[in-house]
Amino acid sequence: MKKHLSIALTLATPFATSTAYAETLELAQLETVVVTATREERRKMELPESIQSFDRETIDAVAPSHPSEILNRAAGVHVNNLSGEGHMTAIRQPITTRGVYLYLEDGVPVRPTGFFNHNALYEVNIPQSGQLEVTKGPGSALYGSDAIGGIINSLSRKPPAETEVMINLEAGSNDWQRALLSAGTSHGDHGLSIDLNATDNSGYRDEADYDRTSLTGRWDFATSDQLSIKTLLSYTQVNQSGVSSLEEFDYKNNDKKNRFHGDTAFREVDALRLSSEFSWATSDSTLATLTPYYRNNTTSMAPSWMVTYDPNERESEFQSYGLLSKYRVRSNDTVQWIIGLDIDYTPSKYQEEAISHNLEDDIYTGYISLNNSNYDFDAEQTSLSPYAHIEVQVSEKLLASVGLRYDYFDISYKDNLSSSDPESIFIPQLGRPVTHRRPDDQDISFEQLSPKLGLVYTLNDHHATYFNYRQAFSIPSVTTLFRSGSTQITDKLEPITADSYELGIRGQASDAIFYELAIYQMDISDDIVSVVNGFERNVYNAGETEHQGIELSINGAITEEFSYAAGFTKTRQTYKNFSYTCCFPTQNIDVSDNDIGKAPDTIGNVVLVYTPVIFTGLRLEVEWEHLGDYYTDETNTADYGGHDLYNFRVNYVLGNGLELYGRVQNIGDKRYSTYTSNQVGDPDISYRPGNPRSAYAGFRYTF
């Protein structure tokens, strides 16, 4: 590990730069503007939180084929690749599928609270984003449930000042094909842009086809100097084949193998979002913002992770009608208020049928329906969330902020199956019955009061330090509450809560080093644990975990030709009070004081960029990605040793609107696993093989 850290620091060694060039770079770095914290533009130096952003130029240079390729450049962030654009995320949390992250598009949650999906970033058109912002740790008072580990906000591209069309075509390994088409114009008070993303590839593993189509449309309209309207339409369709994990022999000797063939495991997603942001500046000191929105989402799937113990085919759908409202007023030169109310109404439907798979040797070749409904229920969720945020310039150097948010959720659940429908059905594939308990019709409500505190102290013109305390929470998802399976009392679960403390410093250490350092501790309470009593399995809010870490980001220009960006993270995540159910006969194992499973010890990323003066328009980039070791289960008896990957990118602007580019991922063709785990009590470790060496090439033509 010391070796990896020394590499990052070696690349960060400062060299002399010209004064003019250094001043230009300083302005760009220290004046970085982000919008996530308060839903409007703010200088990052003024914010008591750790935010990292990627602008359009960086996104275009990376040309990410998967969200991980751009987001993993942020210190403390690891997004893995589960094939296609499937992923799990680890930001101040283990690599997890749990709803501890908030994904936004132009500040509007991609999904409503209680409908989290760890793959939800594939519902956002990442490669055509105008800016990506990653907030690490809980959000400000403007955000509620799910913002425990962090927030990822994709900001759409603004319409161009003049009529512009861009054609971006790309091809690569494993039949990779992608077309990114953009067109936009502005005329007077109107601006319009349209982006289309059409992607198709077969994947490097057997039967791993994936395709997506995304359409993003944005219309900006300034009716006057006081009122502006931004309307955003997003639609994404995803079709993805399921990909299995592999045990050690196949992982090492036949990593292309996929045990899921045909329609054994699939995912089909249709996601539509429409929002209009009305911003009315009634004076120089006030701004009122109203953002009504609509969502329509349908997901059909045969879940790959349930093939071996509860095979089913399901469809979930929801619509959302919501409003984000905010009023900001500057009382005087030292005080600023933000008050608001978020409202969301989401009716949803969930249907599930039992299936039985066909198995040839160890390959699942398809399935048949057993014509039995496991679940068919409706759930209507209504949420009301008022909040207040105040900032006070206590002195010339000290800025304090205090926030408070109240969230209320009401969920009305109705089971559409009759009492005569069996709760257990025999599954031929398994040779045993599977139980699907169904809660009675009911209304459930949750409420949470979340305080926030932040301090920013400006040390001088080049350095500022900050502190924040934030309380966050995550309510149980609708399927966790009402799809009980063989578990009892899932409808009695309460929100998971977190208390987060963070101390940070950011600024300019020299002409070549712009830095941000954050130290944090997060304590999570009321986590969900499983307890067995005889033949009955119950779940309770009783778990406690502790998450600590240090995150360092450094970047800058070594010379006019060489620049770099580096991030390094060291974490320690432990169970403080936790038990786990496993094995046969069933037993409870106390894992208190163990390290949390699937929580990487270290995360690192270094990028070195060369733009030679003698070849105007040429950009060469080398990237190192590091993931440290982690335990594969809660008992800490086996671990994954981590991996280091190297990537290369080249961009060349020929002029007249034409740019050529290429990239090679995993230059060393290293065998690695994107997710490594085993069930407690089972010594066999499962691996998710990562992509081998892969090459891509494309061009952009703008006219």
Side-chain angles (χ1 to χ4, degrees):
M1 195 51 56
K2 292 180 180 177
K3 177 182 177 182
H4 295 314
L5 181 57
S6 68
I7 293 174
L9 296 180
T10 298
L11 288 175
T13 301
F15 291 90
T17 59
S18 70
T19 302
Y21 189 71
E23 288 177 352
T24 301
L25 183 63
E26 175 184 333
L27 180 64
Q29 294 284 342
L30 296 182
E31 298 299 322
T32 298
V33 172
V34 293
V35 302
T36 301
T38 59
R39 295 181 186 165
E40 61 182 285
E41 292 186 347
R42 293 290 300 273
R43 291 176 66 244
K44 191 167 77 166
M45 291 289 285
E46 300 172 350
L47 299 175
E49 54 200 315
S50 180
I51 297 182
Q52 197 154 344
S53 63
F54 303 97
D55 58 21
R56 174 175 177 173
E57 289 72 21
T58 304
I59 297 169
D60 283 346
V62 174
S65 54
H66 187 275
S68 62
E69 294 170 19
I70 181 71
L71 294 172
N72 287 356
R73 297 186 171 212
V77 176
H78 175 70
V79 177
N80 68 2
N81 186 331
L82 297 178
S83 182
E85 290 186 50
H87 57 273
M88 302 178 194
T89 302
I91 307 175
R92 301 186 179 182
Q93 296 288 294
I95 303 172
T96 182
T97 62
R98 301 181 69 174
V100 290
Y101 304 107
L102 183 60
Y103 300 137
L104 309 172
E105 184 179 41
D106 280 23
V108 178
V110 172
R111 282 170 164 254
T113 297
F115 295 84
F116 178 82
N117 188 301
H118 64 92
N119 295 292
L121 284 175
Y122 62 24
E123 297 177 11
V124 180
N125 190 3
I126 296 289
Q128 292 180 297
S129 296
Q131 183 163 313
L132 290 170
E133 295 181 358
V134 183
T135 303
K136 289 165 277 187
S140 65
L142 280 69
Y143 301 101
S145 182
D146 300 340
I148 290 180
I151 300 172
I152 297 177
N153 189 12
S154 172
L155 303 173
S156 59
R157 298 187 174 184
K158 297 179 180 179
E162 299 178 353
T163 301
E164 180 179 284
V165 176
M166 186 182 76
I167 300 173
N168 183 177
L169 302 180
E170 183 177 294
S173 301
N174 306 309
D175 300 320
W176 172 268
Q177 302 173 70
R178 181 167 70 181
L180 303 176
L181 309 177
S182 300
T185 188
S186 292
H187 181 71
D189 297 328
H190 297 264
L192 179 67
S193 64
I194 300 175
D195 298 308
L196 174 67
N197 176 348
T199 302
D200 184 90
N201 78 104
S202 61
Y204 93 94
R205 296 180 63 188
D206 301 334
E207 303 272 338
D209 294 351
Y210 169 80
D211 67 78
R212 74 172 293 152
T213 303
S214 291
L215 178 67
T216 306
R218 172 170 164 169
W219 175 41
D220 290 3
F221 178 36
T223 62
S224 66
D225 292 338
Q226 293 182 322
L227 179 62
S228 63
I229 305 171
K230 180 187 70 176
T231 299
L232 185 69
L233 171 68
S234 299
Y235 172 74
T236 293
Q237 182 182 70
V238 171
N239 297 294
Q240 181 164 325
S241 299
V243 178
S244 71
S245 58
L246 298 177
E247 295 191 0
E248 187 172 8
F249 178 83
D250 286 328
Y251 169 66
K252 291 183 176 179
N253 298 280
N254 186 16
D255 61 340
K256 289 188 176 182
K257 179 179 178 179
N258 179 15
R259 297 180 63 206
F260 301 151
H261 287 202
D263 289 331
T264 295
F266 71 91
R267 186 186 300 258
E268 297 176 352
V269 178
D270 283 275
L272 172 70
R273 294 182 298 279
L274 176 65
S275 65
S276 286
E277 179 184 284
F278 296 82
S279 297
W280 185 26
T282 55
S283 68
D284 292 339
S285 60
T286 60
L287 177 68
T289 305
L290 296 176
T291 308
Y293 61 83
Y294 170 74
R295 307 186 193 98
N296 191 318
N297 189 297
T298 301
T299 301
S300 301
M301 63 187 303
S304 58
W305 66 93
M306 303 181 79
V307 166
T308 59
Y309 67 92
D310 187 4
N312 65 80
E313 181 181 9
R314 61 180 65 176
E315 181 173 290
S316 58
E317 57 182 280
F318 63 79
Q319 298 183 33
S320 296
Y321 308 86
L323 175 69
L324 305 178
S325 62
K326 185 188 72 154
Y327 182 69
R328 185 260 295 158
V329 57
R330 293 190 180 93
S331 302
N332 50 52
D333 293 339
T334 61
V335 179
Q336 175 174 278
W337 286 85
I338 297 176
I339 57 173
L341 173 66
D342 297 342
I343 304 171
D344 186 279
Y345 169 65
T346 298
S348 68
K349 187 173 186 63
Y350 179 86
Q351 296 175 306
E352 177 184 307
E353 290 194 355
I355 61 176
S356 183
H357 290 94
N358 303 315
L359 190 62
E360 297 181 7
D361 295 326
D362 64 343
I363 303 297
Y364 294 90
T365 59
Y367 63 85
I368 59 172
S369 172
L370 299 181
N371 298 315
N372 182 83
S373 291
N374 296 337
Y375 294 95
D376 183 346
F377 65 78
D378 298 328
E380 296 183 359
Q381 178 175 283
T382 303
S383 65
L384 297 172
S385 305
Y387 62 86
H389 172 95
I390 182 173
E391 295 181 4
V392 180
Q393 192 72 49
V394 179
S395 68
E396 182 180 354
K397 293 188 174 184
L398 180 62
L399 176 66
S401 61
V402 179
L404 188 65
R405 182 182 179 96
Y406 173 75
D407 289 275
Y408 175 79
F409 300 89
D410 180 80
I411 306 170
S412 178
Y413 160 78
K414 181 179 185 302
D415 182 12
N416 296 321
L417 298 178
S418 67
S419 58
S420 61
D421 288 303
E423 288 191 341
S424 295
I425 181 171
F426 184 82
I427 308 295
Q429 162 202 341
L430 305 179
R432 61 174 175 81
V434 174
T435 300
H436 300 96
R437 292 190 170 95
R438 301 193 299 270
D440 295 331
D441 294 356
Q442 58 189 286
D443 285 350
I444 294 179
S445 62
F446 302 106
E447 58 181 343
Q448 191 74 29
L449 193 64
S450 304
K452 319 282 183 177
L453 169 66
L455 300 171
V456 179
Y457 186 77
T458 303
L459 300 170
N460 53 45
D461 291 342
H462 295 87
H463 306 274
T465 185
Y466 67 87
F467 167 81
N468 72 55
Y469 162 74
R470 289 179 176 172
Q471 190 179 92
F473 70 100
S474 176
I475 70 170
S477 70
V478 167
T479 50
T480 298
L481 288 168
F482 305 122
R483 191 207 178 276
S484 299
S486 60
T487 305
Q488 298 252 3
I489 65 170
T490 56
D491 54 338
K492 305 302 182 185
L493 292 172
E494 295 292 332
I496 299 169
T497 59
D499 289 281
S500 173
Y501 306 84
E502 180 178 341
L503 180 66
I505 185 170
R506 57 170 66 100
Q508 179 188 10
S510 74
D511 289 342
I513 299 179
F514 297 86
Y515 69 93
E516 182 165 347
L517 177 68
I519 302 172
Y520 67 87
Q521 173 160 327
M522 184 185 302
D523 300 307
I524 294 182
S525 311
D526 296 323
D527 213 336
I528 297 174
V529 298
S530 301
V531 178
V532 172
N533 182 13
F535 292 100
E536 187 175 277
R537 179 173 178 264
N538 296 317
V539 291
Y540 297 97
N541 294 99
E544 296 179 7
T545 59
E546 183 179 74
H547 308 258
Q548 300 172 323
I550 180 169
E551 299 164 348
L552 172 66
S553 298
I554 52 177
N555 64 89
I558 302 171
T559 69
E560 291 192 35
E561 294 185 316
F562 286 95
S563 61
Y564 71 94
F568 186 82
T569 302
K570 172 71 174 175
T571 70
R572 177 70 191 278
Q573 305 185 56
T574 56
Y575 299 107
K576 302 307 292 181
N577 180 17
F578 224 93
S579 62
Y580 191 86
T581 300
C582 80
C583 316
F584 185 83
T586 305
Q587 58 182 292
N588 290 312
I589 298 177
D590 188 351
V591 297
S592 300
D593 298 325
N594 284 7
D595 287 350
I596 294 177
K598 282 80 75 177
D601 178 61
T602 51
I603 302 172
N605 186 284
V606 176
V607 175
L608 181 63
V609 178
Y610 176 50
T611 53
V613 174
I614 60 174
F615 292 105
T616 303
L618 179 64
R619 180 185 188 276
L620 304 174
E621 174 188 292
V622 178
E623 179 186 21
W624 164 61
E625 292 184 78
H626 166 75
L627 185 71
D629 59 355
Y630 57 82
Y631 288 110
T632 57
D633 74 358
E634 289 78 2
T635 64
N636 293 181
T637 54
D639 68 340
Y640 172 67
H643 57 254
D644 294 278
L645 305 176
Y646 298 90
N647 309 312
F648 173 76
R649 294 180 176 85
V650 56
N651 299 70
Y652 186 45
V653 178
L654 281 75
N656 297 319
L658 180 61
E659 177 184 0
L660 305 179
Y661 66 91
R663 65 185 182 277
V664 181
Q665 303 287 118
N666 190 7
I667 297 172
D669 201 24
K670 183 179 181 64
R671 188 183 308 276
Y672 68 101
S673 175
T674 65
Y675 185 68
T676 310
S677 64
N678 65 289
Q679 294 293 326
V680 173
D682 183 354
D684 294 326
I685 298 177
S686 297
Y687 301 85
R688 295 295 294 262
N691 289 339
R693 182 190 299 117
S694 304
Y696 307 85
F699 73 87
R700 296 186 186 92
Y701 180 50
T702 305
F703 59 94

